[in-house]
Amino acid sequence: MGVEIRVEGLTKSFGRQVIWQDVSLTLPAGEISVMLGPSGTGKSVFLKTLVGLLKPDRGSVLIAGRDVTRLRERDLYEVRKLFGVLFQDGALFGSMSLYDNIAFPLREHTRKPESEIKRIVLEKMELVGLLGAEEKLPGEISGGMRKRAGLARALVLDPEIILFDEPDSGLDPVRVAYLNQLIVDLNAQIDATFLIVTHDIASARQVPDNIGLLFRRELVMFGPREKLLASDEPVVGQFLNGRMQGPIGMAEEKDAAQVEQELAELDAGNHRGPKGGKGASGAGVTPRLLPSDGIARSPRWQAIAQREARSHPHEVADA
Ligand SMILES: Nc1ncnc2c1ncn2[C@@H]1O[C@H](COP(=O)(O)OP(=O)(O)OP(=O)(O)O)[C@@H](O)[C@H]1O
């Protein structure tokens, strides 16, 4: 289940402002990938380009053998059915109950009878832990619940790909932890391809199979989580450790001399990041978040759990 997305040589600009150029990566089918990057580096623009809402200047986005960037509106509509999108604020209709919000795509895009719609809506609400809240209005529930309702709505058409636009924005750390667990559990249950755009370093360290980083109008790196977490690339190390020292500045990129001096200080051990050292890995690679007990693990997740048990015997003793 889940489909691969192959991005090749993608470039996007608005007028004379280049957002990113020559981005190439493959989101493997059924895996979880995270895209990181400082504010304004074009992560949301990237998501919109994948679903064909924005046209790139150059390059291709291949999904199930079709190039999204070249499709006519009618064919694009077909490809979009493969996607579920969780928008930042859940994008719920304020005057509709959660039930009607979640039922909305089914009523718009299918001819299913109400009895079938009810079965699907309640199934997805149960999956995200919202059973019993059917009649609530979006304004009556917490931000975390709104995200989960948005997620249930993204699931009703059984997508092969789910895009999450900053799922953790505006949530406290405990809610973020619950949401991350839900994302991992969902992946184990439905095996769709997940792409998460986030600023949250803790999530990026624990949740994905793959991490990408956009910076200075380029994709600096994209690859397996362990590789990025162990990388000595200065931008990757700075971002994954949330440090001030490094190429990423407050509003703009810093000048080269300042970056060099800061990195030299880091090397000398004057400024240690949260994990205490050079490179993104610090004291070691963070353990991977595994599906909750009671959720059947697909062979893919069984392999991940075994790998984790070998690398972190204490943290995942029960895996
Ligand atoms: N439709 C548009 N027309 C013109 N410029 C746009 C458009 N959409 C986005 N931009 C510009 O593209 C740049 C990247 O925006 P984007 O929202 O993708 O960044 P981001 O990495 O998602 O940021 P954040 O992390 O703060 O959400 C910004 O400078 C933004 O102003």
Side-chain angles (χ1 to χ4, degrees):
M1 274 282 285
V3 295
E4 173 186 286
I5 302 184
R6 221 165 72 222
V7 174
E8 281 171 8
L10 211 61
T11 296
K12 175 69 191 165
S13 42
F14 291 108
R16 285 166 57 192
Q17 185 194 7
V18 176
I19 305 299
W20 26 252
Q21 55 198 356
D22 206 18
V23 172
S24 298
L25 57 85
T26 297
L27 303 177
E31 295 193 3
I32 305 176
S33 301
V34 157
M35 184 62 81
L36 292 166
S39 290
T41 43
K43 302 180 296 297
S44 302
V45 169
F46 185 69
L47 291 188
K48 286 179 189 159
T49 310
L50 293 188
V51 288
L53 284 171
L54 289 172
K55 289 266 174 233
D57 311 352
R58 282 191 298 285
S60 55
V61 176
L62 290 168
I63 298 174
R66 315 184 79 178
D67 182 355
V68 170
T69 65
R70 282 167 218 280
L71 291 181
R72 287 171 308 165
E73 202 52 42
R74 232 186 74 223
D75 298 325
L76 204 48
Y77 183 80
E78 288 304 308
V79 173
R80 282 205 192 117
K81 282 193 198 155
L82 298 173
F83 283 91
V85 183
L86 175 61
F87 297 98
Q88 258 184 52
D89 54 358
L92 302 170
F93 298 108
S95 58
M96 277 187 195
S97 68
L98 294 191
Y99 182 95
D100 287 334
N101 262 292
I102 296 165
F104 190 81
L106 291 165
R107 290 175 177 153
E108 279 288 293
H109 299 297
T110 73
R111 293 177 180 198
K112 293 185 191 297
E114 278 301 317
S115 57
E116 175 69 356
I117 289 178
K118 182 173 182 184
R119 187 189 64 72
I120 298 171
V121 169
L122 294 181
E123 179 195 302
K124 305 307 178 195
M125 289 188 82
E126 182 171 18
L127 213 49
V128 302
L130 277 181
L131 263 193
E134 292 89 311
E135 296 315 315
K136 293 258 191 262
L137 291 172
E140 297 171 343
I141 58 176
S142 69
M145 284 173 85
R146 274 199 292 278
K147 302 258 186 194
R148 281 187 280 143
L151 190 49
R153 192 177 59 182
L155 291 172
V156 287
L157 296 175
D158 288 329
E160 300 278 352
I161 304 158
I162 306 185
L163 306 180
F164 300 78
D165 194 0
E166 296 187 26
D168 31 48
S169 71
L171 297 186
D172 63 69
V174 175
R175 297 271 158 47
V176 171
Y178 277 113
L179 190 67
N180 283 342
Q181 187 66 60
L182 178 60
I183 289 173
V184 167
D185 289 353
L186 267 182
N187 183 262
Q189 287 164 291
I190 68 175
D191 272 339
T193 307
F194 286 17
L195 176 61
I196 306 168
V197 157
T198 182
H199 285 134
D200 189 65
I201 300 162
S203 305
R205 284 174 162 274
Q206 302 177 66
V207 174
D209 297 277
N210 313 292
I211 302 178
L213 179 63
L214 282 170
F215 180 61
R216 280 190 185 153
R217 294 170 287 285
E218 308 224 322
L219 182 69
V220 179
M221 266 197 175
F222 181 85
R225 184 188 78 106
E226 295 80 0
K227 195 171 153 212
L228 272 277
L229 291 182
S231 169
D232 275 339
E233 168 74 38
V235 180
V236 177
Q238 181 184 7
F239 206 88
L240 288 175
N241 285 303
R243 283 193 305 243
M244 288 194 290
Q245 299 81 17
I248 308 170
M250 176 76 159
E252 307 182 327
E253 295 141 25
K254 300 177 187 171
D255 74 67
Q258 189 187 349
V259 171
E260 216 160 280
Q261 187 193 336
E262 287 173 358
L263 291 175
E265 283 172 1
L266 264 182
D267 269 347
N270 292 341
H271 293 272
R272 295 199 172 271
K275 289 273 178 181
K278 189 180 165 231
S281 62
V285 172
T286 314
R288 180 93 191 257
L289 196 57
L290 296 171
S292 306
D293 290 344
I295 289 188
R297 288 177 184 168
S298 59
R300 177 176 117 68
W301 277 103
Q302 282 171 25
I304 292 171
Q306 281 164 8
R307 230 174 28 237
E308 284 298 305
R310 281 196 298 273
S311 329
H312 308 281
H314 304 301
E315 286 94 338
V316 286
D318 61 341

